[in-house]
Amino acid sequence: MKWILKDIDVLLQSKDYVDTAFVPLIPVAFRDRMKHSVSMGEYTTTLLYEMERQLHGRTIVVPSFTYLMDEPMEQRLTRLEQWTRKLTDAQFNHVFFITSDGDWKQEEDKLDAVLIWLPVIPLEHMDDQYKRDIVSEQTKQLLQIVTKKWQFES
């Protein structure tokens, strides 16, 4: 499900079945790093919406956790910890952070959720069919990670 009113209505009616939240971790930068941060965010979001489409009814993609690329990691971690607490308090048993920002890999052990890092693949100059193929292949790999986590925690 997406963070839209129509899907939230369904979520509230079938809360027992929606136990997984995907949180996109999206960096924001300006000037020289703007294009790179946009590319990371676009790639992450594209993959997450494809994941949501395939797992509709069991998952929700919450609004992006955005941060400035030059924000100190400790501040990011403190804010993200609050998000994790709120999500688990709301009965989301499985929380996945999805990002293309490699800085998070160094902090993975400090997170109370599963981190999935995806190296960004620039989609901007690809033809549409090739983009779909890339997204489809990446989505298959993500689905394997998520389903293994579900099986492990069942």
Side-chain angles (χ1 to χ4, degrees), residues 107 129 137:
E107 308 300 329
Q129 182 58 49
E137 189 56 39

Side-chain angles (χ1 to χ4, degrees), residues 26-41 66-71 76 101:
I26 307 294
V28 177
F30 301 99
R31 298 185 185 241
D32 299 341
R33 299 173 72 189
M34 183 186 290
K35 190 170 181 178
H36 183 61
S37 74
V38 169
S39 181
M40 285 191 282
T66 57
Y67 55 92
L68 295 170
M69 287 183 87
D70 59 1
E71 178 182 356
R76 293 184 213 173
D101 183 352

Side-chain angles (χ1 to χ4, degrees), residues 29-70:
F30 301 99
R31 298 185 185 241
D32 299 341
R33 299 173 72 189
M34 183 186 290
K35 190 170 181 178
H36 183 61
S37 74
V38 169
S39 181
M40 285 191 282
E42 183 178 357
Y43 185 67
T44 300
T45 303
T46 299
L47 287 175
L48 269 177
Y49 282 135
E50 181 59 21
M51 287 278 295
E52 183 279 331
R53 188 185 69 74
Q54 294 192 31
L55 298 173
H56 191 79
R58 172 96 194 250
T59 65
I60 185 165
V61 178
V62 301
S64 298
F65 176 87
T66 57
Y67 55 92
L68 295 170
M69 287 183 87
D70 59 1

Side-chain angles (χ1 to χ4, degrees), residues 53-119:
R53 188 185 69 74
Q54 294 192 31
L55 298 173
H56 191 79
R58 172 96 194 250
T59 65
I60 185 165
V61 178
V62 301
S64 298
F65 176 87
T66 57
Y67 55 92
L68 295 170
M69 287 183 87
D70 59 1
E71 178 182 356
M73 184 55 81
E74 287 305 313
Q75 288 179 6
R76 293 184 213 173
L77 288 166
T78 299
R79 290 191 307 117
L80 193 55
E81 185 178 292
Q82 293 172 352
W83 279 56
T84 306
R85 237 185 346 266
K86 292 290 186 182
L87 287 164
T88 54
D89 288 350
Q91 306 304 311
F92 290 102
N93 301 327
H94 309 281
V95 178
F96 292 87
F97 298 131
I98 316 292
T99 189
S100 288
D101 183 352
D103 290 350
W104 287 103
K105 284 299 288 176
Q106 298 170 19
E107 308 300 329
E108 187 171 11
D109 60 328
K110 297 176 185 171
L111 301 174
D112 290 329
V114 176
L115 176 72
I116 299 175
W117 174 72
L118 309 161

